[in-house]
Amino acid sequence: MEGCSSLVIDRETLEERVARSSPEFPYVANLCSMEALMDRTCPWHWHEEVELFYIRAGVLEYHLPSGCHVFQAGEGGFLNAGVLHMTRQRGEVPCLQEEVLFHPRFVGGEEDSLINRKYIRPLVEDPGLALLRLGQDRPEERELLELVRQALAVYQGAEPGWELESKAQAARMLRYA
């Protein structure tokens, strides 16, 4: 559960440098315990990576400049690249959050690629899509949340070929987002 406890946020720009992500492989999956953070809060920040998450236990507040969004266990969401946000555990029940973060180029490739132009850029440049709630009521949302959960298992398992499977899962996640 190192993802949440190893935050590196630039104090001037509020940009988070996502731990264990690199230009060579801009992808990471974590299981985060909000208990590991001071005041059970991840301070205001943003990152170039898109973030998909699943709340395994507890309740988590996602604060954006536009307001607060509360996620219960079994729910999750998609947070777009470049969105300023902070998170806070609500209540005393420890919050466990599974999360996958990856740079859009991880799926889209070069700036002028067909995949980037047709799928990635319209998604990450959509001014109306900062945070998308995912629940269990709609089959496609359940499937996306399951992909997030599988991504964590693949990443942690590090079986041969996990990098290829991670890239394929990221592409499937963006197809649903």
Side-chain angles (χ1 to χ4, degrees):
M1 282 191 261
E2 56 210 69
C4 287
S5 60
S6 60
L7 289 169
V8 178
I9 299 173
D10 183 296
R11 291 178 191 234
E12 290 182 25
T13 66
L14 299 181
E15 180 180 4
E16 178 187 4
R17 309 268 194 288
V18 175
R20 297 182 295 136
S21 180
S22 70
E24 181 180 64
F25 195 77
Y27 178 97
V28 66
N30 296 306
L31 176 60
C32 296
S33 170
M34 296 301 290
E35 297 287 308
L37 297 173
M38 183 185 307
D39 298 326
R40 298 178 188 126
T41 300
C42 181
W44 287 100
H45 67 284
W46 64 275
H47 36 76
E48 292 183 349
E49 296 80 4
V50 296
E51 176 179 330
L52 290 108
F53 60 92
Y54 173 80
I55 306 302
R56 184 188 287 186
V59 180
L60 188 64
E61 300 173 354
Y62 261 76
H63 294 265
L64 278 64
S66 60
C68 177
H69 306 267
V70 179
F71 294 87
Q72 309 283 332
E75 296 179 323
F78 168 84
L79 181 72
N80 214 339
V83 174
L84 184 65
H85 63 287
M86 70 167 258
T87 57
R88 175 178 292 136
Q89 176 179 304
R90 180 180 274 190
E92 296 303 314
V93 175
C95 182
L96 287 176
Q97 175 188 26
E98 298 178 29
E99 65 178 9
V100 178
L101 295 101
F102 54 91
H103 197 283
R105 77 174 171 274
F106 184 65
V107 174
E110 297 300 318
E111 188 68 27
D112 64 343
S113 74
L114 172 70
I115 299 297
N116 196 31
R117 284 192 323 265
K118 188 172 180 180
Y119 299 102
I120 307 304
R121 200 175 306 143
L123 180 71
V124 298
E125 293 178 359
D126 182 346
L129 180 59
L131 179 64
L132 176 65
R133 176 180 298 280
L134 303 168
Q136 299 293 334
D137 295 337
R138 298 177 60 208
E140 60 274 11
E141 291 180 16
R142 274 195 312 272
E143 188 168 342
L144 182 49
L145 290 172
E146 186 55 33
L147 281 171
V148 172
R149 303 196 78 200
Q150 290 171 6
L152 180 62
V154 167
Y155 188 82
Q156 290 179 332
E159 297 290 328
W162 72 269
E163 299 93 343
L164 291 171
E165 182 59 25
S166 295
K167 186 166 185 154
Q169 287 176 322
R172 285 193 300 274
M173 286 182 226
L174 289 184
R175 186 183 85 207
Y176 288 109

